[in-house]
Amino acid sequence: MHDISIPALFGILAAMLVAAKLLGELAERLGQPAVLGELIAGVLLGGVLGIVPTEGPAGEVVHVLAELGVVLLLFEIGLETDLREMFRVGPAALSVATVGVILPFVLGFAYWAYVPHAAAAGSTDLTTAAIFVGATLTATSVGITARVLSDLHQMNTMEARIIIGAAVIDDVLGLVILTVVSGLAAGASLAPLGILRIFAVAVGFLAVAVVVGRFVAPRLFDLVVRMRVRYVLLVIAIAFALALASVAALAGSALIIGAFAAGLILSGTNQFDTIEREVRPVASIFAPIFFVSVGASVNLSLLDPTREGAPGLLGVAAVLTLLAVAGKLAAGWAAPWARYRRLVVGIGMVPRGEVGLIFADIGRRAGILNEAVFGAILLVVMATTFIAPPGLKLLFGSRSGNPAA
Amino acid sequence: MHDISIPALFGILAAMLVAAKLLGELAERLGQPAVLGELIAGVLLGGVLGIVPTEGPAGEVVHVLAELGVVLLLFEIGLETDLREMFRVGPAALSVATVGVILPFVLGFAYWAYVPHAAAAGSTDLTTAAIFVGATLTATSVGITARVLSDLHQMNTMEARIIIGAAVIDDVLGLVILTVVSGLAAGASLAPLGILRIFAVAVGFLAVAVVVGRFVAPRLFDLVVRMRVRYVLLVIAIAFALALASVAALAGSALIIGAFAAGLILSGTNQFDTIEREVRPVASIFAPIFFVSVGASVNLSLLDPTREGAPGLLGVAAVLTLLAVAGKLAAGWAAPWARYRRLVVGIGMVPRGEVGLIFADIGRRAGILNEAVFGAILLVVMATTFIAPPGLKLLFGSRSGNPAA
């Protein structure tokens, strides 16, 4: 009756959870954030052992569970976010996000279009390819950074608020860029009005949802709490997060923006601490599946230096990684009027995670990026994703890193 | 990159959760168990509105989440089960289960093979069809009954222990029957040695897992509790349940038997109450998805009396339902030496749930049961599933129902 072997799938999920916790523990014992261990667990289970399905029906199910994990994670982060504090860092976050999108894009585009390098040879349309390469460098993976900050118990710092705020804004900007590059991939030309519309929808969704939600949700949940059935508060809260994630994505925004908005909204209800306490165990089961999946999407054969074309590829990847890191680091200094540790914010913006992978994949499937260039971008995404956790740990560990200006 | 629209799927899941809680609440307010409301929520969302996917990639994902729900539910029930109490009711449960399998089978077979009725006309092989009809009447849905008992706060009663014990034994017997009928569907003849082997594997798995597990698990979890990462105890416990469910199914037993065994095993660890407290919210999210799915699999058009052949079909379904209920009710009296309320145990064994559906589906796909007979069996499964919740509620509500003999 069904195409999926559920016993096999449950076995894989069990292995993913156990590996995530064992390597997370090892990472913590070595003074690193647990999420770094979960990513490495994914590399081991996916790239080395090949037991994490990435395609076919089983791959779909793992993908859905991973998305459920990142939605629950962003919901939890939204619940833990103080909206007034968020507004206070708003201008700084906006400035950091904007610079952190423009600078990496310009650097990536310029390198690809104007500097001679191995991987550019054979590209049919250098300008389009350069736009794609630039675009893949703009994303920020809010999931990775948020988990690192949470692992380090730093979610309540000024820096964490700026990073999370900027990363959410980056997701809004990322949607605009995604739509533009998807249009390019389909052969369309850039229409300024279309771009503006996407931008307005994404920003508008977040604003309307939070304003309306903060008014409606407390009244709604005062009714819910009067119901008697088991765990009604938790189940309705998670249904609320799923529904808002769904509406956000269908309205042209993104799942994780809806989930984050749901958390922000419910943090204004009277039942907020019960919801937060009960959501945590549920999120703790699914978030590791997301991080292990991200690790499992790493293609290890790209790291093999004896592979044909590998030296050139690794050189290009190294340059792109430098540009990607430099562009985001510089964004850390984009809000000179605010007092915060610039380097912490810069490092926090570095991981590209799954968003960069999605951009690169669209370019590959449209034939704009060939296998080699796609491979180089994958290496950049991996490198940036793995740099941030130990970097943030180092900075938060040594308070001397970069004092508030 | 993916065939499934995740936003649409998350929207559907949100609707399933909200409908489950709203109708569960309504059921409770009307003095019924919440699970009855969840089943009706499934009928509304599935049969009436048609928004619960049952086929294609989205149907697969909902199916996996539903299975996750029933595995977590049985794991939780296992955790709450006192193994010594279970052993004390063992002989009674075994007797109830055995009678509850043989009697409905004989009644169903005899009616189909020897009594003239509308639906038998046109059957190619009456004996094989009769074996299938008998087999579909043997199953007991442990999920439904356990939820009802839990909703009514009766899990610690003698009757509940016998029902759960007998339902688990029924699952073991069900596996044997399933393999036999699958063989028949494929055209094989009955091989007594093969049947014995399946039986030995299913019983052996449960025995070995519990004996070894009760020795190993406490030592293992004393190590796990020394780990520092977030929710490590919960995540490892759920991984353990998934792994044992997986091993059970791959070894020829069933997912839910493995999950139940995992709960029994972990109820012997020192960290048992932390695990139980943290598993509950996770199970409370996924169990409703299972019950809503069961409700959604009901084909409402079969209930339409104006449909061609409907009167005859409804008559056959009514007779089969009577036989199905009578066979299981009689099983309530199968352990005359033990003191318990016979009628409560009998009613508790009535629901056929998804197991009956699986048997019927195999027969339909093999061409042994035609659409009309399949429809009649679906009606029987529905009727028995919906009879038990209000029946148990009635009996537990009025202590005068059937005093201990």
Side-chain angles (χ1 to χ4, degrees), chain A residues 161-189:
Chain A
R161 281 189 203 109
I162 294 177
I163 294 170
I164 301 296
V168 168
I169 297 169
D170 243 25
D171 267 333
V172 173
L173 297 175
L175 286 169
V176 180
I177 298 166
L178 183 62
T179 318
V180 173
V181 296
S182 301
L184 278 178
S189 60

Side-chain angles (χ1 to χ4, degrees), chain B residues 46-57:
Chain B
V48 179
L49 300 175
I51 65 167
V52 178
T54 51
E55 291 182 341

Side-chain angles (χ1 to χ4, degrees), chain B residues 276-292:
Chain B
E276 197 188 349
R277 194 181 55 239
E278 292 179 351
V279 163
R280 263 197 213 124
V282 184
S284 74
I285 296 294
F286 291 96
I289 294 176
F290 171 72
F291 295 110
V292 173

Side-chain angles (χ1 to χ4, degrees), chain A residues 4 21 26 81 112 114 126 168 177 184 201 240 247 253 255 263 270-271 285 310 317 341 351 357 386 390:
Chain A
I4 296 175
K21 285 296 150 183
L26 188 66
T81 301
W112 214 256
Y114 304 121
L126 202 60
V168 168
I177 298 166
L184 278 178
V201 166
F240 184 75
V247 171
S253 185
L255 281 176
N270 297 315
Q271 296 73 32
I285 296 294
R341 300 170 74 205
L357 289 180
F386 281 88

Side-chain angles (χ1 to χ4, degrees), chain A residues 1 3-4 6-7 14 21 25 29 60 63 76 226-231 239 246 249 280 286 361, chain B residues 1 3-4 6-7 14 21 25 29 60 63 76 226-231 239 246 249 280 286 361:
Chain A
M1 187 155 50
D3 299 339
I4 296 175
I6 291 184
K21 285 296 150 183
E25 180 74 16
R29 299 265 167 155
E60 295 272 346
H63 177 64
E76 191 189 337
R226 289 165 60 189
M227 289 167 68
R228 300 173 198 160
V229 281
R230 204 175 100 123
Y231 284 105
S246 171
R280 262 197 214 124
F286 290 95
D361 194 60
Chain B
M1 187 155 49
D3 298 338
I4 296 176
I6 291 185
K21 284 297 149 182
E25 180 74 17
R29 299 265 166 155
E60 295 272 348
H63 177 65
E76 191 189 336
R226 289 164 61 189
M227 288 168 67
R228 299 174 198 161
V229 280
R230 202 174 101 122
Y231 283 105
S246 172
R280 263 197 213 124
F286 291 96
D361 193 60

Side-chain angles (χ1 to χ4, degrees), chain B residues 16 47 76 86 98 103 116 155 157 168 183 241 270 276 281 317 324 335 345:
Chain B
M16 290 170 83
E76 191 189 336
M86 204 74 181
T98 310
L103 213 54
M155 280 298 282
T157 59
V168 167
N270 297 314
E276 197 188 349
V345 170

